[in-house]
Amino acid sequence: MILPIYLYGHPVLRKKSVDIEPDYPGLKELIANMFETMYKAEGVGLAAPQIGLNINLFVIDASPLAKDEPELKDFKRVFINPEVTFNTTEKITIEEGCLSIPDIHENVSRPSDLTITYFNENFEQVTERLTGYKAIVMQHEYDHINGIMFVDKISPLRRRMLQNRLNSISKGKVSTSYRVKI
Ligand code: NI
């Protein structure tokens, strides 16, 4: 089932999410719906707050980006209750976008090497090191479950320049190919 994607300005995107238990009602179906919603909107990641749920869950399938970034070829994951430790303070800068902030793309700098411990879709605990693009894509989604959006991380000047467009998005004055909720 395709779910509406909550737009910038909705308070659910600004709340800190909570951990879930393996018996969370309808978890398998929820994960399937999140992938379906993400694919329909042509995104590479979707976090639970973007569909209105403040729980520590996000999905990623960055394989469509593999033609430019081969390392992303098999980067499809479900992350539940993740915890991140950074292995470097060195940052790389990559242009980001977000299904909750349509039509805005900005450069964001983030650490390029981290270790993440999480539960996968079968609620098995996994620890893995992510570097480069994988680390960047993951952090964007990880921010969502902490109420942070990528426009929080751009320069104050760029942000000021975008303010009118962000205000419009929060009022639903934006056109998208997918269902949204303001
Ligand atoms: Ni996003």
Side-chain angles (χ1 to χ4, degrees), residues 78-166:
V78 174
F79 293 91
I80 299 168
N81 304 345
E83 281 179 37
V84 169
T85 319
F86 292 103
N87 301 323
T88 181
T89 51
E90 212 171 288
K91 290 183 173 178
I92 53 174
T93 303
I94 288 172
E95 194 179 75
E96 296 188 19
C98 180
L99 295 175
S100 294
I101 315 177
D103 300 333
I104 292 183
H105 296 87
E106 291 290 325
N107 283 330
V108 180
S109 300
R110 300 178 184 273
S112 57
D113 186 344
L114 58 86
T115 301
I116 181 166
T117 299
Y118 62 97
F119 293 88
N120 65 17
E121 61 276 28
N122 302 315
F123 243 92
E124 297 155 342
Q125 195 171 35
V126 180
T127 296
E128 67 177 323
R129 184 177 171 194
L130 299 176
T131 59
Y133 275 83
K134 291 182 186 176
I136 301 303
V137 172
M138 197 286 302
Q139 283 173 74
H140 177 111
E141 303 309 324
Y142 185 73
D143 274 354
H144 274 302
I145 60 173
N146 289 297
I148 299 165
M149 302 184 82
F150 83 91
V151 289
D152 303 345
K153 302 201 158 181
I154 64 177
S155 75
L157 176 68
R158 287 298 307 162
R159 211 190 138 95
R160 216 157 51 237
M161 290 171 70
L162 288 174
Q163 201 53 59
N164 286 341
R165 287 170 68 195
L166 290 171

Side-chain angles (χ1 to χ4, degrees), residues 50-61:
Q50 295 181 277
I51 50 138
L53 290 175
N54 281 120
I55 58 174
N56 286 330
L57 163 66
F58 56 84
V59 301
I60 287 174
D61 186 354

